[in-house]
Structures are given as C-alpha cells and as structure tokens.
Amino acid sequence: MQNQNEFLSRAEEFADQFLRYSKNYLPHVARLCLVSTFLEDGLRMWWQWHEQREYMDISWGCGYFLATVFVLVNLIGQLGGVFMVLFRKKVEVACGLLLFIVVLQTIAYQILWDMQFLFRNLALVGGLALVLAESKKEARSIFAGVPSLGENKPKTYLMLGGRILLVFMFLTLVRFEFSVMQIFQIVIGGLLMALVAVGYKTKLSAFLLVLWLTVFNVYVNAWWTIPSYKPMRDFLKYDFFQTLSVIGGLLMLISLGPGGVSMDEHKKQW
C-alpha cells in the first residue's frame, strides 16, 4: 500500500512538472488538437467538393442546389469556427457554430443510430464544452480589490459536462475480445475514464489517457500507410482526427483542471 501511494505521488509530481513546463503553450496545443477534426473535414469539403456534393445528392435525393448548400455550409462553418477558436475570436459563437456542424453531420450522414460514431461525436461535444469553459472569465466582485466568493457557475457546469462527455470516446474503443491486451485496455482505460468523469486525480488521469490514446491513435489509425485509392484511408483518417480532438479535450482538462464540481475540488474543503 505504501509503495502504491509512493508511485501515485511520483506520478502526480511528474504530471505537475509537465504542466508547469508546458503551461504557456499547452492551451494552444490543446485547442489545435481539439479542432483538428473540423479542420481536416473542412479542407476535405474543399478537396472533394464534387464527391461530397454527389454523395449528398444520391443519399438524400435533395438535388444539386441543396447538396451544394450542405457542402458549402460545412466548409465555411468548420474552417470559420476553427479560425475563431485558434485565434480566440468570439469563442462562444465559434463553439455554437461547430456544435451545429456536429449535429448537422450526425443527421445528414445518418449516424444517429450508429453508436460508435454517435459516441465519438458526443466526446467531440465534450471537447467543445471545455473550449467554451476556457473562454469564460472568472467571476469578479462588484467591489474593487475584493475577491469574489461565488463560483463561475457556467464555467463549472461546462467543465463537468465536458469531462463526462469525453468518457464516450473510451466506449468506442472497447472490443469485447478475450485477450490479455484487450482486458488490460478495458480495465485500465475504464478506470482512468471513470476518474476523469468524477474529477478525482484528474490531471494525472487525463495525462495518462493522453499518452495511451496517442500511442493507440498512431498505431491503430495510421492512415498515412494506406494508399490514397483505398477507401480505408479515409475511414482511418476520420478516426485519427476524431481521436486527436478528444486528446485535445484531455489536454485542455490538464490545463484548466477539473472544475468546481469534482472530487479534487471537494478534497480541498475537507
């Protein structure tokens, strides 16, 4: 038990050192990772303009005009939202715009009943909630020089919602196979995601998940190894950037902390 506590203490110390050394650029890296899936999809709308328009026309039978509008909305909405998030211009509007794109694609691509895609989109929404939380300033007292005793409730609840929604990413990685590696992944990954959800040792848990998901993403979703003419390349690229966005959400969580509604925060009051 003593060795276990010592190991956790050293791990937390390492995570704190990482945060101290990276605190100046970590939020920027987190935002870039988080919006990477929107950036990739927006550029794909430009590069595959005719293919995307034809796909929507065939899938929905909506005609040339509406299919063009759909592709144009996705292109402008995603690239515009990415620009606004990265340069911190009207972040609330940007997050609302990107959320609209997530909902629109969920309906348009008919993935509402595909649990794997739906859970990934929910995790993506969790990441957007954390970006929005970062843009919320701490509440100030009405008296100059006197600190506020109240909490910034919108930011607190956005942090809570973001933490919980990020958990859905793990559910898409679970494969019920009886192998040592898969069981290890389910147990350890599930434990870390549960700790993130309840906000206990949040920064350490999120840091370990970032390491795990990064290795998993590079190894499993290596789309660059697939020839460009194979459809599997696009599927793996989609999975890669979706996972990278969730990694961005976890990095944002490391940068911001778990928020007021968390076990870590309540431990300070004990």
Side-chain angles (χ1 to χ4, degrees):
M1 186 68 178
Q2 184 177 357
N3 292 335
Q4 183 180 7
N5 291 334
E6 184 178 350
F7 173 77
L8 288 175
S9 297
R10 289 184 177 180
E12 283 186 292
E13 183 180 349
F14 179 79
D16 287 338
Q17 287 180 349
F18 170 79
L19 181 58
R20 282 196 298 272
Y21 290 133
S22 62
K23 65 180 180 180
N24 292 328
Y25 55 85
L26 184 60
H28 303 288
V29 174
R31 284 193 295 272
L32 179 60
C33 289
L34 207 151
V35 299
S36 62
T37 190
F38 297 106
L39 178 61
E40 186 274 333
D41 196 54
L43 292 175
R44 184 161 54 86
M45 291 291 169
W46 174 263
W47 293 328
Q48 300 179 1
W49 175 277
H50 297 291
E51 293 88 339
Q52 293 294 324
R53 184 177 58 192
E54 184 178 356
Y55 173 81
M56 289 307 302
D57 188 13
I58 294 174
S59 298
W60 286 91
C62 56
Y64 178 86
F65 176 74
L66 289 179
T68 301
V69 170
F70 173 83
V71 176
L72 189 62
V73 167
N74 274 272
L75 190 154
I76 296 176
Q78 291 185 100
L79 295 184
V82 166
F83 175 86
M84 294 164 72
V85 167
L86 291 180
F87 292 94
R88 307 191 72 178
K89 303 294 184 181
K90 296 189 180 297
V91 177
E92 295 88 350
V93 175
C95 289
L97 184 59
L98 293 176
L99 177 61
F100 168 74
I101 295 296
V102 171
V103 175
L104 178 64
Q105 291 191 354
T106 300
I107 297 172
Y109 292 135
Q110 304 178 43
I111 59 177
L112 188 60
W113 309 116
D114 187 319
M115 290 297 103
Q116 183 171 5
F117 287 104
L118 180 61
F119 285 172
R120 290 192 179 188
N121 280 354
L122 288 173
L124 200 56
V125 171
L128 289 175
L130 293 175
V131 171
L132 187 56
E134 186 205 18
S135 70
K136 298 291 183 182
K137 296 180 179 179
E138 296 296 336
R140 295 181 180 178
S141 171
I142 59 175
F143 301 104
V146 179
S148 173
L149 296 178
E151 291 183 348
N152 188 338
K153 288 187 177 181
K155 181 174 182 177
T156 297
Y157 293 129
L158 283 169
M159 294 290 295
L160 174 62
R163 289 200 330 262
I164 293 174
L165 288 174
L166 283 178
V167 173
F168 283 98
M169 182 64 196
F170 171 73
L171 298 178
T172 68
L173 304 178
V174 173
R175 302 287 185 275
F176 293 102
E177 301 170 356
F178 292 99
S179 65
V180 175
M181 189 62 191
Q182 190 61 35
I183 293 174
F184 175 83
Q185 179 173 296
I186 292 174
V187 173
I188 302 301
L191 176 62
L192 291 174
M193 277 297 186
L195 292 176
V196 166
V198 300
Y200 180 68
K201 295 190 180 297
T202 312
K203 292 184 179 181
L204 175 60
S205 301
F207 180 74
L208 293 175
L209 278 169
V210 166
L211 295 179
W212 173 49
L213 284 176
T214 300
V215 172
F216 176 89
N217 205 24
V218 172
Y219 178 73
V220 175
N221 297 324
W223 55 270
W224 53 88
T225 64
I226 307 297
S228 58
Y229 62 86
K230 291 189 176 182
M232 180 58 69
R233 180 186 175 95
D234 285 337
F235 284 111
L236 290 180
K237 184 186 287 189
Y238 173 82
D239 288 347
F240 178 87
F241 283 102
Q242 284 263 309
T243 306
L244 186 60
S245 289
V246 175
I247 290 172
L250 291 168
L251 288 174
M252 189 68 73
L253 198 57
I254 295 172
S255 177
L256 296 177
V261 185
S262 64
M263 292 184 66
D264 286 342
E265 189 66 25
H266 286 290
K267 278 172 59 182
K268 298 176 183 178
Q269 304 173 9
W270 294 347

